[in-house]
Amino acid sequence: MSETTVKQGHPKGLWVLFGTEMWERFNFYGMRAILTLFMVNSLMMKEADASLIYGGFLGLCYLTPLLGGFISDRFFGNRNCILLGGTMMAIGQLLLFFSASVFGTNLDLANTLLWSALGIIIFGNGFFKPNISSMVGSLYPKQEKTKLDTAFTIFYMGINIGAFLGQFICPFVGDVKDQAGIRDIHAFKWGFLAAAIAMMIGTVVFYVLKNKYVVTPEGKPIGGLPSGNDASDFEEGESQKAHFTMTSIFTAVAVFVALFFAFHYTTEGDNVVKTIIYPIIYSSGISLALLILLDKTLTKVETQRIWVIYIMSFFIIFFWAAFEQAGSSLTFIADNQTDRNFFGWNMPPSMVQIFNGLFVVMFALPFSMLWDKLRASGKEPISTVKQAFGLALIALSYFIIAHNVKDLGNSGLLAIYWLILLYLIQTFGELCLSPIGLSLVGKLSPKRFASLAYGVFFISNAAGYALSGTLGSILPATGDKFKKAQELGIDLQGVLNKTVTPTAEQLKLLTDNQISAENPVFAGFEIHNLYEFFMVFVVLCGIASIVLFALTPKLKKMMHGVR
């Protein structure tokens, strides 16, 4: 490759993938913004159950990229999987639209449509997610791999423009309350329909522009059928095909079965999402990651680099477990115990999380410029240090919010600007962690495992989202619960403190109104209030940040020159 070519800016294909991902994220984040409120208010689920389903759904969305990556690498190719995944997600959103249209007359059918829709979206996301990320990395030949941090930060800005649009438009049309604060529980369908239309646009954009722009500098299409790969697509000396023996496959299956039962029998409760789906997520992630390590073609350097991906992914679990409270516990708090007056406008609770997407759009480019400037001066921190900073920032965001809810009591309202500050700090943490992680996988993974390696990276998202569901389900009673209990003639605080013994009739009233008569428990500790709830995230993310900082020198050696 000529020196002139190396010095070129980013290829036009990056902007095609940028636009495709933008519309897909509009679809996904728009639906995500209103999903739990739809389940609680229209389908009459408890908040804890909605949080568990939400976490399980997101976890599976980021587990299926393993399957999608494998099928792409071996059979269909990136392009076909993106088109298939986009089509499936559009169909899933339409099913949510129908679920939100019929629940008033047929609740059973609405629930069936909900589960069908979530299942289709899960598999559609599995085909779409790893393949579009892999194609971004494939746009850059090895002489330009240093551009990947910047490229993925730009790509990440597209993700969050889509998230911003989805989190504004879907709640605006789908999460509607009248002047008296009464929610129109039939309006959610319009939010789901908007998400479906966005996914259709994204799929068409990719289909129309892929052949013209998503190509190598020499004009060769990127992401075609694996059978079209040739030796020039691989690094010198790199094996072109993975080799999984029957022994390695059997070992991975045996590990999956053992881990599933271990997780299943150590999980308390009888919720099927918590006791079945979560163990599947955790055990599948570990066993499928093990399968790559059992490949006989791996060199010592490749093995150590893959281990870095896995170690990094483990710590990212804690980030996403905290970050993804946005769609569950933080949305419920915004709905029930927050003054949402924003310059005279009472913002819909599902829209409050829009500030994350807005802040990413505002700060993605400055962060990209910061990394470029530090790199030029030889002061850029390596990827694992950036990610440790990301974990520290999210711990800080929850520390601040914890101290601002400490004295709210049962009737006080949290000012919306504290939630906005939380999303600002978490955005800075996200920009230090997520696009940098995507870039690092592109640098560390062997080409024959490109999409599958991204799928493995998304295991951390899957496990983190599953953990987010568990943590979201331990949200203690918020102000609305105490107010409703008071209207029912029940001293909820006394019931929770065990100074008042409720009658059987009172317990039934609480259950019918989706109010728990006991404080939630996590890791043996009873969570009495919002302050204790938020401090759980401070401790988890704070410890993870410190340990990752400490491991950085060792990880740097294992990366063998990759930064």
Side-chain angles (χ1 to χ4, degrees):
M1 176 171 288
S2 69
E3 190 68 22
T4 302
T5 305
V6 171
K7 290 182 178 178
Q8 284 182 344
H10 296 284
K12 293 180 181 179
L14 176 63
W15 303 104
V16 175
L17 299 178
F18 174 104
T20 305
E21 180 76 349
M22 181 188 75
W23 287 112
E24 188 274 332
R25 291 292 89 182
F26 178 117
N27 142 82
F28 191 84
Y29 279 92
M31 173 272 296
R32 189 195 77 158
I34 61 177
L35 180 61
T36 53
L37 291 177
F38 167 63
M39 290 190 286
V40 169
N41 292 281
S42 299
L43 301 186
M44 303 303 292
M45 296 183 186
K46 290 184 177 180
E47 288 181 358
D49 291 336
S51 291
L52 288 171
I53 293 170
Y54 172 80
F57 164 69
L58 289 182
L60 289 174
C61 277
Y62 285 82
L63 180 64
T64 50
L66 283 165
L67 176 63
F70 178 80
I71 291 175
S72 171
D73 284 343
R74 287 300 187 92
F75 305 109
F76 292 168
N78 299 135
R79 295 177 170 218
N80 291 331
C81 283
I82 288 172
L83 292 172
L84 175 60
T87 302
M88 291 179 69
M89 284 189 281
I91 292 171
Q93 296 289 4
L94 289 173
L95 290 178
L96 284 175
F97 167 75
F98 290 123
S99 175
S101 300
V102 304
F103 73 88
T105 55
N106 193 331
L107 188 59
D108 288 339
L109 176 59
N111 275 289
T112 300
L113 289 171
L114 170 76
W115 289 107
S116 300
L118 296 183
I120 292 172
I121 292 171
I122 284 166
F123 281 99
N125 186 81
F127 283 112
F128 188 97
K129 191 73 178 172
N131 289 292
I132 197 161
S133 298
S134 176
M135 290 184 79
V136 173
S138 298
L139 285 171
Y140 296 83
K142 63 181 179 180
Q143 293 93 334
E144 298 185 25
K145 291 297 184 184
T146 56
K147 294 181 180 179
L148 278 178
D149 275 9
T150 303
F152 272 106
T153 301
I154 293 171
F155 181 70
Y156 209 70
M157 187 164 63
I159 290 174
N160 285 276
I161 290 174
F164 170 79
L165 292 172
Q167 290 170 338
F168 178 79
I169 293 174
C170 293
F172 186 79
V173 299
D175 185 12
V176 180
K177 291 185 178 182
D178 62 20
Q179 293 295 325
I182 305 300
R183 174 176 278 114
D184 179 3
I185 60 174
H186 297 279
F188 289 111
K189 61 185 177 183
W190 304 120
F192 295 132
L193 181 61
I197 293 171
M199 191 65 254
M200 294 176 196
I201 293 173
T203 305
V204 171
V205 165
F206 180 76
Y207 178 79
V208 171
L209 299 178
K210 67 183 189 309
N211 291 332
K212 185 175 182 180
Y213 296 114
V214 188
V215 295
T216 66
E218 296 77 26
K220 180 182 176 182
I222 292 173
L225 294 175
S227 58
N229 291 337
D230 57 47
S232 64
D233 296 321
F234 298 83
E235 299 291 335
E236 184 177 350
E238 179 184 349
S239 176
Q240 297 180 23
K241 187 176 181 180
H243 178 62
F244 298 115
T245 65
M246 289 304 298
T247 301
S248 62
I249 293 174
F250 176 79
T251 301
V253 171
V255 169
F256 166 79
V257 173
L259 288 173
F260 171 79
F261 284 108
F263 285 123
H264 174 71
Y265 286 112
T266 55
T267 300
E268 297 180 355
D270 55 4
N271 184 288
V272 68
V273 175
K274 190 176 180 180
T275 59
I276 301 295
I277 293 180
Y278 285 6
I280 288 175
I281 291 171
Y282 297 138
S283 54
S284 293
I286 295 171
S287 57
L288 289 173
L290 173 65
L291 183 61
I292 290 181
L293 290 175
L294 294 174
D295 180 77
K296 298 298 184 181
T297 66
L298 284 175
T299 66
K300 180 180 179 181
V301 170
E302 287 176 335
T303 300
Q304 291 190 356
R305 286 176 173 173
I306 288 174
W307 267 111
V308 173
I309 294 174
Y310 292 172
I311 294 169
M312 172 190 69
S313 298
F314 171 76
F315 286 98
I316 288 176
I317 289 173
F318 301 102
F319 179 89
W320 291 118
F323 186 87
E324 279 303 328
Q325 295 305 308
S328 55
S329 65
L330 290 176
T331 293
F332 294 139
I333 290 169
D335 191 19
N336 301 320
Q337 201 157 354
T338 297
D339 178 1
R340 301 188 307 278
N341 188 298
F342 187 68
F343 295 104
W345 176 47
N346 196 36
M347 180 177 285
S350 58
M351 195 184 289
V352 176
Q353 59 190 285
I354 196 176
F355 290 102
N356 169 243
L358 176 62
F359 290 142
V360 171
V361 173
M362 291 171 60
F363 293 106
L365 188 57
F367 265 76
S368 175
M369 295 169 63
L370 172 64
W371 303 141
D372 286 343
K373 185 175 181 179
L374 290 174
R375 186 183 311 117
S377 61
K379 297 179 181 179
E380 183 186 20
I382 68 171
S383 296
T384 52
V385 171
K386 295 176 185 177
Q387 292 168 328
F389 274 125
L391 283 162
L393 285 168
I394 203 165
L396 173 64
S397 73
Y398 278 109
F399 182 78
I400 292 172
I401 205 77
H403 281 271
N404 280 282
V405 300
K406 192 172 184 180
D407 299 319
L408 283 183
N410 298 333
S411 58
L413 295 178
L414 179 70
I416 192 173
Y417 58 77
W418 289 116
L419 284 177
I420 294 173
L421 178 61
L422 175 138
Y423 285 125
L424 175 63
I425 297 173
Q426 290 191 0
T427 297
F428 292 159
E430 184 183 4
L431 288 171
C432 288
L433 184 138
S434 190
I436 304 306
L438 288 169
S439 172
L440 189 61
V441 174
K443 297 173 186 176
L444 292 174
S445 59
K447 184 171 180 59
R448 64 190 182 280
F449 290 123
S451 294
L452 189 56
Y454 276 106
V456 171
F457 174 73
F458 290 131
I459 292 173
S460 61
N461 297 55
Y465 294 154
L467 182 57
S468 79
T470 299
L471 295 176
S473 70
I474 65 171
L475 177 70
T478 46
D480 63 305
K481 305 297 187 300
F482 291 96
K483 181 179 179 181
K484 183 63 180 178
Q486 187 178 23
E487 293 173 357
L488 297 170
I490 302 172
D491 177 10
L492 180 58
Q493 190 63 66
V495 172
L496 295 174
N497 292 341
K498 297 182 174 58
T499 58
V500 173
T501 303
T503 64
E505 182 181 357
Q506 288 176 325
L507 286 174
K508 185 178 185 305
L509 281 173
L510 290 175
T511 300
D512 290 344
N513 286 274
Q514 302 168 313
I515 302 172
S516 176
E518 296 179 345
N519 284 317
V521 176
F522 177 70
F525 295 95
E526 187 173 357
I527 308 298
H528 300 87
N529 49 54
L530 290 177
Y531 170 78
E532 294 179 0
F533 173 72
F534 286 126
M535 286 303 294
V536 170
F537 301 101
V538 175
V539 172
L540 288 177
C541 293
I543 292 175
S545 175
I546 293 170
V547 175
L548 185 54
F549 268 122
L551 286 175
T552 291
K554 177 65 175 176
L555 295 177
K556 184 177 181 180
K557 293 180 181 179
M558 295 171 65
M559 290 160 71
H560 294 278
V562 173
R563 292 189 59 85

